[in-house]
Amino acid sequence: MPVSVASSKVIFDALKKCDVRLMSALPETWLVHLIRMADDDPEMILVRLAKEEEGVGISAGAHFAGVKSAMLMQNHGFLASINGIVSFAHLYKIPLLMLISYRGTFGERDPWQTQGGNVTESLLRSMSIPYSFLDRADNVEKRIRQAQTLAESSLQPVALLLMRDLMWEE
Amino acid sequence: MLRLDCLKAIYPELENCLAVTIMGATAAELQSLGHRPNFFYLQHAMGLASSTGLGLALSLPEQKIIVLDGDGSILMNLGSLSTMARYRPANLVHVVFDNESLLSVGGFPTATGKGTDLEGIARASGIPKALTVRTVEDFGTAVKEALARSQLTTIVAKVEATGPSGYVTDLSLLENRFQFRRYIQSLKRPGS
C-alpha cells in the first residue's frame, strides 16, 4: 500500500509537538499509518469512531477538559459531520483541528471518491471554516501549529486538507 | 414517571459530577432546579451529548461524568453506544430519558414506542451494564449505584412525554459553555 509512512510520521510527530493528546479517527486508506501510530503511542488517546460526527462531541468534551485534540477523517467524513460542526462547534465556539484527507482530486483513481472532491472546498468556504493544505513534508509542522493556533485563538473549527502529493507514494 | 421528578431525585448527586444534557425539556427542567457551573446544556447537535460525555470521561478519568440523554437524541447517534462501549470509561454514567417522543420539537412519536428497546441496543452494543427503570425510586437508586460502581452504565428511564411550557432560559449558550470549561479548569488548580 503506497501510503507514505514517512509523511504520516511527520504529521503525527507534529501533532505531538502541538501537545495533541486525543485523536478521534475513522479509518480510510490514507490515514492507516497515522491511526496505527496513534494506537501505538501510550501518550495518545485514540478514539475510533463509528461515524465522524461523533468526533465533534468528543473534541468538545476534550476542550472543556483542557485537553488538545485532533480529528482525522476523510472528506466524506467531513460531509457527514457538518451538522455537528455547525450546531455544536460553531454555535458554542469550540476549537476543532480537523485533518481531512482530500480524496477525489487530480490523480484519483477510485470513482466513488470523486464527487466528494468536487464539493469539499466550496463547503469549507461556505461554512467560513479557515483551511489550508498539507502537501509537502517540510512545512507540515509549521502549518499544523498555525492551524491549531488559529483554532484556539478564534475558538472555531479549522481544517487542514491532506493532499495526495504528501500522503501517497507512487 | 416524570423526568422532572427523576432530576429532583438525583440533583444532590449531580453536585460532584460533570453533567451534560441534551436540548429542550431536559435542559430546561434541570435548570429549573437550579443551575450549577458543572452543568452543560447542549442545546442543539442532537446525538452528540453522549459523545461529549465520552470526550470528557476519557480526558478526565478521575472525574465522574453523567450524560442526560433522550431517546430521540440517542436514536440519531446509535453508533455512539458502540464507541462508548469500545472504550467503556468507568467514570461515565449515561442516562437516557425515554419518553417515546420527540417532545421538544412537536411531540412526534419515536420508534421506542413501537418496540425499539434502547436497553437492549445498549447491551448489544457492549455497554457493560444497561438497565431500564420505571419508578423514581428505582431511577434514583440506579443512578447512585452507577456513580458508585465505576463501570460504564446506560440507564433507560421510561418517562412521560411532558415537559415545561418553554425551553429558553436567561442563561446564554456561550455563557454556559465558558462557565463550564472554567469550572473544570478550576478543579485542576493545586490546592483547590
Side-chain angles (χ1 to χ4, degrees):
Chain A
M1 184 189 300
V3 181
S4 173
V5 176
S7 293
S8 300
K9 182 84 167 69
V10 169
I11 295 167
F12 185 72
D13 289 347
L15 290 168
K16 292 268 303 200
K17 278 192 183 171
C18 288
D19 204 25
V20 169
R21 284 212 297 112
L22 186 151
M23 286 166 58
S24 68
L26 207 141
E28 82 111 9
T29 310
W30 289 12
L31 302 175
V32 289
H33 299 308
L34 262 170
I35 293 171
R36 181 179 47 74
M37 288 167 194
D39 207 15
D40 289 346
D41 187 336
E43 293 177 352
M44 188 68 76
I45 302 168
L46 173 67
V47 187
R48 295 175 186 266
L49 306 171
K51 190 175 179 182
E52 292 85 350
E53 190 185 19
E54 293 173 65
V56 177
I58 289 166
S59 277
H63 172 69
F64 293 146
V67 170
K68 289 184 168 53
S69 72
M71 300 162 66
L72 288 182
M73 66 184 97
Q74 200 199 67
N75 45 349
H76 294 84
F78 163 68
L79 303 186
S81 304
I82 284 177
N83 180 54
I85 292 168
V86 173
S87 64
F88 196 164
H90 282 160
L91 186 64
Y92 282 94
K93 294 191 74 69
I94 307 292
L96 301 177
L97 179 59
M98 300 188 288
L99 273 64
I100 301 169
S101 60
Y102 196 177
R103 302 297 305 270
T105 59
F106 284 5
E108 181 66 63
R109 292 197 181 102
D110 294 342
W112 45 87
Q113 304 290 9
T114 54
Q115 287 303 306
N118 286 351
V119 299
T120 299
E121 286 185 69
S122 57
L123 281 168
L124 286 164
R125 282 195 297 271
S126 68
M127 295 167 75
S128 299
I129 295 175
Y131 69 95
S132 186
F133 305 92
L134 295 183
D135 53 5
R136 283 174 25 201
D138 61 0
N139 66 5
V140 161
E141 184 179 327
K142 184 178 179 186
R143 208 154 269 184
I144 287 179
R145 182 170 296 284
Q146 289 174 334
Q148 184 192 49
T149 299
L150 179 63
E152 304 235 332
S153 64
S154 62
L155 298 172
Q156 67 181 337
V158 303
L160 285 167
L161 297 170
L162 308 183
M163 306 301 287
R164 180 177 304 275
D165 288 346
L166 179 70
M167 301 307 294
W168 197 253
E169 293 170 347
E170 56 190 342
Chain B
M1 177 162 71
L2 295 177
R3 181 183 41 238
L4 184 61
D5 291 335
C6 291
L7 291 169
K8 283 177 184 166
I10 62 167
Y11 186 76
E13 274 65 39
L14 298 182
E15 185 167 7
N16 297 314
C17 301
L18 300 176
V20 177
T21 81
I22 56 163
M23 61 184 286
T26 307
E29 286 183 348
L30 181 59
Q31 275 189 69
S32 75
L33 299 178
H35 172 65
R36 288 174 174 154
N38 53 317
F39 298 169
F40 175 68
Y41 316 98
L42 181 55
Q43 296 284 12
H44 210 321
M46 282 180 74
L48 294 188
S50 54
S51 306
T52 307
L54 178 60
L56 282 164
L58 294 173
S59 300
L60 299 166
E62 307 301 318
Q63 177 68 49
K64 294 283 185 187
I65 315 293
I66 186 165
V67 172
L68 302 174
D69 212 336
D71 54 311
S73 286
I74 195 65
L75 284 169
M76 288 196 192
N77 187 13
L78 286 175
S80 180
L81 288 167
S82 64
T83 306
M84 286 193 289
R86 185 172 195 158
Y87 299 97
R88 54 184 65 191
N91 55 330
L92 179 59
V93 177
H94 179 223
V95 172
V96 184
F97 289 116
D98 181 3
N99 59 11
E100 304 179 357
S101 168
L102 287 159
L103 179 72
S104 301
V105 292
F108 299 99
T110 65
T112 61
K114 296 289 183 187
T116 297
D117 169 13
L118 290 173
E119 177 198 333
I121 293 172
R123 183 176 295 114
S125 298
I127 303 282
K129 175 84 176 168
L131 67 161
T132 299
V133 293
R134 297 173 189 280
T135 68
V136 174
E137 187 183 3
D138 286 350
F139 176 76
T141 303
V143 170
K144 285 165 201 165
E145 286 181 358
L147 287 169
R149 189 183 298 119
S150 292
Q151 183 183 44
L152 173 63
T153 304
T154 293
I155 300 165
V156 179
K158 285 287 192 179
V159 293
E160 292 176 33
T162 58
S165 55
Y167 303 128
V168 177
T169 73
D170 64 358
L171 181 67
S172 87
L173 277 54
L174 290 179
E175 182 181 2
N176 177 218
R177 165 254 191 273
F178 285 111
Q179 184 186 49
F180 184 66
R181 186 173 194 269
R182 195 172 293 280
Y183 173 84
I184 296 172
Q185 301 314 309
S186 76
L187 297 175
K188 295 179 175 177
R189 281 195 208 111
S192 66

